[in-house]
Amino acid sequence: MGEFGLISRLAEVLGPPASDDAIVGIGDDAAVLRFGREHVLVTTDTMVQAVHFLPGSPWEDIGWKALASNVSDIAAMGGEPRFALVTLALPAEQPAADSESVYAGLRACAERYGVSVVGGDVVRAQQVAITIALLGVARSGGGEPLLLRRAAARPGDAIALTGTVGDAVGGLLRMKDGTPPDDALVRAHLHPEAQLAAGAAAVTAGIRCAIDVSDGLLQDVGHICEMSGVGAVVQAGAIPVSEALRKAFGKDSLRLACTGGEDYQLVVVGQAALMEGLIRSAGVPVTVIGEIIDSADPRVRLLDDAGREITFPSRGWDAFRS
Amino acid sequence: MGEFGLISRLAEVLGPPASDDAIVGIGDDAAVLRFGREHVLVTTDTMVQAVHFLPGSPWEDIGWKALASNVSDIAAMGGEPRFALVTLALPAEQPAADSESVYAGLRACAERYGVSVVGGDVVRAQQVAITIALLGVARSGGGEPLLLRRAAARPGDAIALTGTVGDAVGGLLRMKDGTPPDDALVRAHLHPEAQLAAGAAAVTAGIRCAIDVSDGLLQDVGHICEMSGVGAVVQAGAIPVSEALRKAFGKDSLRLACTGGEDYQLVVVGQAALMEGLIRSAGVPVTVIGEIIDSADPRVRLLDDAGREITFPSRGWDAFRS
């Protein structure tokens, strides 16, 4: 049934949160929890060896990326990260130096984004895996949290993207071919940055809808459409692709950009006038790539310059299909 | 170097938390984090198949226990649990019905202890594993958090214990021998209760030091000694052991009670007068089993009725030794 079918069945088994203080529960980039007057954001992400990273990946990069992918979830809510719990699963025979390298990478990422690691667990398992729970705070205005929600897209809104997409999966493919870790695309795969400043700028610009590109651009825009009850059209020619990706993958770079995942760029959705403000203030390139449309079909339509639809065999990552 | 050596090396790599709002970081049952005027507790625990539970354990019990062990950490801080994130790792071929049973058990435990599940992750892995991050709140008095800390034991304090210990490991051993899941000891292993009410009663009684029995009684009292810079003497004859354990394991029941782990009872440490108050108010049996002593050696001395020291080959669970 695939990852998303399973998640939705499990959410049904759990039922809705009992507490009114769960402002946002399952189904967004992070949960939003009210504690007194505070709005706490919390998210968790896991990376499993041979599933989420190749054996042979540098341990420091694994630590960095495990935290950066969680910071990206907080960025996609427009919040600020604060505290992390880290669980490291590893075989009994794994050298302690490997764990220390994972934590050195974690520390570098924590310092980069202002996160304090305050706890965790170390457990024995067959495969190395790292699970992080990250707590943050929502920005607020007049006592209310100011959030970027998946469910806040409206017909007519512009769809924009920070940076370029496809580099991470391009790097993964090159790494499989033996390209060393200092290659620019391989770096994008191993050592992504979270778009924390862009998320903050989006909230400040009055935008209220975003997601981070973790599964793949089309699939992630699709999550916004499902949660908002809208459709979307994306212009293939507008999708920003790096020179490095184009040079390495030629015509295939569009497919990688649309379906690759793990770029941790932000998809930001809002009125065109607000988006112009964000483009001026974001501090990183922000490119309009499409539009939200009034549609009962949450499928994202990808169009070429002549208005013809482009389709790919897969729209992105699915833990139980790929 | 064992689990605790590894954790302490990794904590060194990380360095102290950057934020002053991390009131309690690595090394207690839960971290304590200040958000505005609120004091948020957060903890995480993982259960891995064939490491923390036997293949063939009922899936519902696995879900229950994964959450109950985290609730126990909040109980051991004297707090109230609120919100959980759940990460389920499982092989691609695992039947969806198994996952649903895990979540049904989780839901039952969440309802029992007033927890809302607000997010998580489902990932592919070779082994089934469940990781929970649990957020709660500290009780407070006059704006300050009222906590049960591992570091708060003082010489002369009484050491007390809720309920009985050893049942869980007794149940694990019986399960390995083919005893069915409805056996009382096997239930204690598969379906533990968290001592939330006793933790609350301890805080209310003015007690400020506790830990839950997750690794093994002697080892867990030892954690208190290390964090508090004290020693401890425990009277073997005072340790409460259930009739079921004594009947099944005879003379070996003392060793199981002292080193077994996963009972999720609370060890509570405080002045004798406060302890008398707790014994009256806890709502569960609370038994004084020993005393904190002024000692540079954090080792816990277990004495028989004649004052002779009793030692066992192991003092409790170590993820990287057992």
Side-chain angles (χ1 to χ4, degrees):
Chain A
M1 92 180 100
E3 176 182 355
F4 302 102
L6 181 59
I7 288 173
S8 105
R9 276 178 72 166
L10 297 179
E12 274 171 40
V13 173
L14 288 171
S19 169
D20 291 343
D21 292 328
I23 310 288
V24 177
I26 295 169
D28 218 312
D29 290 280
V32 183
L33 309 173
R34 186 166 47 208
F35 286 90
R37 293 178 177 183
E38 305 298 317
H39 289 89
V40 173
L41 305 174
V42 59
T43 183
T44 187
D45 254 319
T46 296
M47 285 175 40
V48 180
Q49 189 171 36
V51 178
H52 300 92
F53 57 91
L54 298 175
S57 300
W59 293 109
E60 287 210 25
D61 288 330
I62 291 165
W64 171 285
K65 186 171 175 176
L67 182 52
S69 67
N70 280 281
V71 173
S72 179
D73 284 327
I74 299 293
M77 298 298 288
E80 292 175 27
R82 286 276 193 276
F83 306 105
L85 299 181
V86 178
T87 299
L88 183 64
L90 71 171
E93 66 275 13
Q94 195 80 31
D98 296 346
S99 308
E100 289 176 19
S101 295
V102 169
Y103 278 68
L106 263 172
R107 179 177 179 155
C109 190
E111 288 174 353
R112 171 83 171 81
Y113 298 114
V115 172
S116 293
V117 178
V118 294
D121 203 358
V122 178
V123 298
R124 194 154 44 94
Q126 289 166 20
Q127 269 170 305
V128 177
I130 179 164
T131 302
I132 293 183
L134 181 63
L135 284 74
V137 287
R139 286 182 174 71
S140 68
E144 288 303 305
L146 303 179
L147 300 167
L148 302 174
R149 299 286 314 273
R150 292 185 182 180
R154 300 289 170 263
D157 281 353
I159 304 169
L161 184 67
T162 64
T164 61
V165 283
D167 303 75
V169 71
L172 173 66
L173 294 173
R174 278 168 80 87
M175 208 179 147
K176 283 181 178 170
D177 286 343
T179 305
D182 61 346
D183 173 77
L185 294 177
V186 176
R187 289 314 294 156
H189 163 63
L190 289 174
H191 200 86
E193 294 282 341
Q195 299 302 317
L196 208 48
V203 164
T204 305
I207 289 170
R208 294 293 172 261
C209 178
I211 191 171
D212 70 331
V213 182
S214 52
D215 295 336
L217 177 62
L218 295 183
Q219 186 159 307
D220 289 318
V221 175
H223 292 320
I224 284 182
C225 292
E226 285 154 24
M227 296 295 290
S228 299
V230 296
V233 172
V234 169
Q235 304 297 334
I239 296 171
V241 173
S242 73
E243 267 308 298
L245 189 72
R246 209 181 297 274
K247 197 172 153 198
F249 291 93
K251 278 193 70 177
D252 206 26
S253 52
L254 177 66
R255 182 181 66 83
L256 299 180
C258 288
T259 66
E262 295 209 332
D263 289 300
Y264 302 111
Q265 298 294 338
L266 294 185
V267 170
V268 180
V269 173
Q271 293 171 28
L274 299 177
M275 207 58 84
E276 282 167 26
L278 175 62
I279 289 168
R280 285 190 299 269
S281 66
V284 292
V286 174
T287 311
V288 174
I289 60 168
E291 194 183 5
I292 297 295
I293 59 171
D294 190 358
S295 167
D297 179 1
R299 208 168 51 92
V300 181
R301 295 180 65 218
L302 178 69
L303 303 183
D304 70 12
D305 292 349
R308 287 170 303 216
E309 186 162 357
I310 305 170
T311 58
F312 301 114
S314 154
R315 312 210 117 211
W317 168 262
D318 186 313
F320 293 91
R321 285 211 175 102
S322 44
Chain B
M1 93 179 98
E3 176 182 353
F4 303 102
L6 181 58
I7 289 174
S8 106
R9 276 177 71 166
L10 297 179
E12 274 172 39
V13 174
L14 288 171
S19 168
D20 291 342
D21 291 328
I23 310 288
V24 177
I26 294 169
D28 217 313
D29 290 281
V32 183
L33 310 173
R34 185 165 49 208
F35 285 90
R37 293 179 177 182
E38 305 298 317
H39 289 90
V40 173
L41 305 174
V42 60
T43 183
T44 188
D45 254 318
T46 295
M47 285 176 40
V48 180
Q49 190 171 36
V51 177
H52 300 91
F53 57 92
L54 299 175
S57 301
W59 294 109
E60 286 211 26
D61 289 330
I62 291 165
W64 171 285
K65 186 171 176 176
L67 182 52
S69 68
N70 280 281
V71 173
S72 179
D73 284 327
I74 300 293
M77 298 298 288
E80 292 174 27
R82 285 276 194 276
F83 306 105
L85 299 181
V86 178
T87 299
L88 183 65
L90 72 170
E93 65 276 13
Q94 195 81 31
D98 296 347
S99 309
E100 289 176 19
S101 295
V102 170
Y103 278 68
L106 263 172
R107 179 177 178 154
C109 191
E111 288 174 354
R112 171 84 172 81
Y113 298 113
V115 172
S116 293
V117 178
V118 294
D121 203 358
V122 178
V123 298
R124 194 154 44 94
Q126 288 165 20
Q127 270 169 303
V128 177
I130 179 163
T131 302
I132 293 183
L134 181 63
L135 285 74
V137 287
R139 285 181 174 72
S140 68
E144 288 302 304
L146 303 180
L147 300 168
L148 301 174
R149 299 287 312 274
R150 292 184 181 180
R154 301 289 170 263
D157 281 352
I159 303 169
L161 183 66
T162 63
T164 61
V165 283
D167 303 75
V169 71
L172 174 66
L173 294 173
R174 278 169 81 85
M175 207 178 148
K176 282 181 178 170
D177 286 343
T179 306
D182 60 347
D183 173 77
L185 294 177
V186 176
R187 289 315 293 155
H189 162 63
L190 289 174
H191 201 87
E193 293 282 340
Q195 300 301 317
L196 208 48
V203 164
T204 305
I207 289 170
R208 295 291 174 263
C209 177
I211 190 170
D212 70 332
V213 181
S214 53
D215 294 337
L217 176 62
L218 295 183
Q219 186 159 306
D220 288 317
V221 175
H223 292 320
I224 284 182
C225 292
E226 286 155 25
M227 295 295 290
S228 299
V230 296
V233 172
V234 169
Q235 304 296 335
I239 297 171
V241 173
S242 72
E243 268 309 298
L245 189 72
R246 209 181 296 274
K247 198 172 153 199
F249 292 93
K251 279 192 67 175
D252 206 27
S253 53
L254 177 66
R255 183 181 65 83
L256 300 180
C258 287
T259 66
E262 295 209 332
D263 289 300
Y264 302 110
Q265 298 295 339
L266 294 185
V267 170
V268 180
V269 173
Q271 294 171 26
L274 299 177
M275 207 59 83
E276 282 167 28
L278 175 62
I279 288 167
R280 285 191 298 271
S281 65
V284 292
V286 174
T287 311
V288 173
I289 59 167
E291 194 183 4
I292 297 294
I293 60 170
D294 190 357
S295 167
D297 179 1
R299 208 168 50 93
V300 180
R301 295 180 65 218
L302 178 70
L303 303 183
D304 70 12
D305 291 348
R308 287 170 303 219
E309 187 162 357
I310 305 171
T311 58
F312 301 113
S314 154
R315 314 210 114 210
W317 168 262
D318 186 314
F320 293 92
R321 284 211 177 104
S322 43

